[in-house]
Amino acid sequence: MSGCLPQEVLFNIFLKLSPKTLLLCSCVSKSWQSVVTSPIFIAAHLSRTSTLDKKCLLLRRCYGTGSTKKERYSLHFDTQTLDLYLELKFPFINWNENFKLVGICNGLVCLSGLDILLWNPSIQRVVALPRTSDITTICGAPDNYALGFGFDSRANDYKVVRLLYFEDKTLFNYKRSPKVELYEVRTGSWRVIGNKAPRCEIVQSEWRQAFVNGAVHWVAYRENSTGYRCFILRFDTVEEGFSIIALPECLVNHSPSDLKVAMLGGALSIMVCGWHCFDTYVSSVWVLQKYNVPESWTRLIILDPSQELGMVLGLGENGEMLMASKRGEVVLYEPENKLMKGLGIYGAEDSFCLDTYVESLALLNEGKGILEEAEVYN
């Protein structure tokens, strides 16, 4: 039967199937396998899945700290109640406190710990990036670094950008430029980027990234004798060049460690953190209404410590917000009347991450299969 259907018919049928079903189909015959594993089909399948009305959100949360830290990932329907769609199986060894979730893009999760990993939970494929590169071979381990993860739509390839900072004896750190290298899934190797990054620093202990409009974004700063000058550093994954987006004037001289970049409601956003009784909270949220137009920065909300709310995780169409509470619960918050509703989803307070997710075949050809061993959670 498999040999009776023309390739173009198979192609159109397969487009409507889930990644897990397509893995089974690829085992039926060589002709079916050739369709499922072709780069053209993988790209077409992602394009179709991305346009479906059925939207999912990937939620990451943690339990414990240090060597007892456990990661939990789950898919939820994009509704006010975040109803569970699928519990994902996290098969990796639990990490130490240096573990980070770098970013989520087109069904891939970029993780950084002892190694940098690209993981597709839909088909349980993983790529471990090489630990060494030309730069690290020559210069050794960097003093600090920052990572970004995104998709190159022109090359149809996923990229990890790494900014490496090496010790410099100058008075202010901003006088040194990081060395920059790029990992491409297609080649499976690191290469040095010719376009230099501006002389600036990224908060190393807490760096966060946001992939918006085909570019990776970080909060960056220059330090001088009077304080800080903050801005957003942008890396275009297609052109492989750097540029700067100005912040609202009231945030320019803010402490960079209190500014968190994010994508909220599909827009580039900045969360401003405040301090209360030796604890942090989100004091305000700013959204760039028109991308690349700094004048369009708009303050979305002001919060106070009495509300006991942490990071903003997402924005609803009606203005409500998904947030992490100080109790370590995901809550729905309505800014207009200051009402908060717990959703019964718990984890470590600062561990929550929520992002749009599409099931895809990314890494089907490049990745290695990993065991799916379910972990029991309380």
Side-chain angles (χ1 to χ4, degrees):
M1 178 66 182
S2 63
C4 300
L5 295 176
Q7 291 277 324
E8 58 270 21
V9 175
L10 281 175
F11 192 101
N12 290 324
I13 293 174
F14 287 169
L15 280 179
K16 301 177 181 179
L17 302 181
S18 70
K20 284 190 175 181
T21 302
L22 288 169
L23 284 184
L24 297 175
C25 291
S26 67
C27 299
V28 172
S29 67
K30 289 184 177 180
S31 62
W32 284 28
Q33 183 185 48
S34 66
V35 174
V36 173
T37 59
S38 89
I40 294 176
F41 175 78
I42 292 174
H45 186 269
L46 174 63
S47 178
R48 181 183 183 277
T49 305
S50 300
T51 58
L52 294 177
D53 292 334
K54 175 185 170 184
K55 300 295 183 182
C56 282
L57 298 172
L58 186 147
L59 177 67
R60 177 257 195 170
R61 45 192 158 138
C62 300
Y63 301 89
T65 58
S67 60
T68 64
K69 182 178 179 181
K70 295 183 182 295
E71 299 278 328
R72 184 174 181 178
Y73 293 79
S74 51
L75 294 180
H76 298 257
F77 293 107
D78 190 4
T79 62
Q80 288 188 340
T81 53
L82 280 189
D83 295 327
L84 180 67
Y85 166 58
L86 180 66
E87 195 74 43
L88 299 175
K89 297 170 184 178
F90 187 75
F92 306 114
I93 298 173
N94 291 315
W95 304 85
N96 59 24
E97 61 273 10
N98 295 320
F99 175 82
K100 292 180 184 291
L101 189 155
V102 179
I104 302 168
C105 181
N106 292 347
L108 288 191
V109 182
C110 182
L111 308 167
S112 173
L114 298 176
D115 292 294
I116 302 171
L117 300 174
L118 299 180
W119 170 47
N120 184 336
S122 296
I123 58 175
Q124 287 295 50
R125 293 290 198 275
V126 65
V127 165
L129 277 60
R131 292 188 179 183
T132 59
S133 61
D134 289 344
I135 292 177
T136 55
T137 299
I138 296 172
C139 303
D143 299 287
N144 294 306
Y145 71 95
L147 292 172
F149 171 61
F151 181 67
D152 179 346
S153 58
R154 187 166 64 191
N156 191 31
D157 196 15
Y158 296 89
K159 295 178 177 180
V160 177
V161 59
R162 182 161 62 177
L163 281 63
L164 304 170
Y165 291 86
F166 295 91
E167 186 177 359
D168 196 327
K169 302 299 183 182
T170 53
L171 180 59
F172 298 112
N173 289 336
Y174 78 87
K175 292 185 178 180
R176 59 180 176 174
S177 293
K179 297 183 183 297
V180 184
E181 57 186 6
L182 195 71
Y183 174 87
E184 299 167 304
V185 169
R186 180 180 55 189
T187 62
S189 61
W190 294 99
R191 62 179 172 84
V192 178
I193 293 295
N195 294 326
K196 289 186 177 181
R199 293 183 176 181
C200 62
E201 289 282 343
I202 295 172
V203 180
Q204 304 302 331
S205 61
E206 302 177 8
W207 54 257
R208 298 164 63 103
Q209 70 132 59
F211 183 69
V212 184
N213 274 35
V216 176
H217 304 77
W218 305 269
V219 171
Y221 67 96
R222 294 189 178 103
E223 188 177 358
N224 53 41
S225 58
T226 59
Y228 302 102
R229 187 78 182 174
C230 299
F231 52 89
I232 291 180
L233 179 63
R234 172 175 55 189
F235 177 76
D236 189 310
T237 55
V238 174
E239 301 299 333
E240 299 181 358
F242 290 89
S243 57
I244 289 173
I245 298 178
L247 289 173
E249 192 59 35
C250 62
L251 301 182
V252 168
N253 301 121
H254 212 284
S255 172
S257 61
D258 293 340
L259 302 178
K260 315 294 182 185
V261 68
M263 181 179 70
L264 298 175
L268 186 64
S269 305
I270 289 289
M271 289 181 279
V272 185
C273 297
W275 288 84
H276 178 72
C277 296
F278 304 101
D279 196 10
T280 60
Y281 71 100
V282 173
S283 60
S284 62
V285 178
W286 294 74
V287 174
L288 190 61
Q289 301 285 5
K290 296 180 180 178
Y291 187 75
N292 228 6
V293 182
E295 293 77 16
S296 69
W297 280 110
T298 303
R299 188 168 60 187
L300 198 63
I301 186 176
I302 300 176
L303 298 168
D304 63 69
S306 65
Q307 294 168 298
E308 297 187 344
L309 292 168
M311 292 296 168
V312 179
L313 304 177
L315 300 179
E317 294 181 357
N318 298 320
E320 68 278 359
M321 295 182 170
L322 288 167
M323 301 186 68
S325 75
K326 290 297 181 180
R327 301 187 304 274
E329 182 183 12
V330 177
V331 299
L332 183 70
Y333 178 71
E334 298 179 9
E336 187 172 340
N337 49 29
K338 298 184 178 181
L339 290 179
M340 182 169 55
K341 176 184 178 182
L343 300 185
I345 302 172
Y346 295 93
E349 176 194 338
D350 296 325
S351 70
F352 291 102
C353 178
L354 187 70
D355 205 342
T356 303
Y357 186 83
V358 292
E359 295 181 289
S360 76
L361 293 168
L363 303 187
L364 176 60
N365 297 318
E366 301 87 355
K368 293 183 178 180
I370 48 182
L371 297 176
E372 294 191 11
E373 297 179 356
E375 189 169 358
V376 178
Y377 300 97
N378 296 320

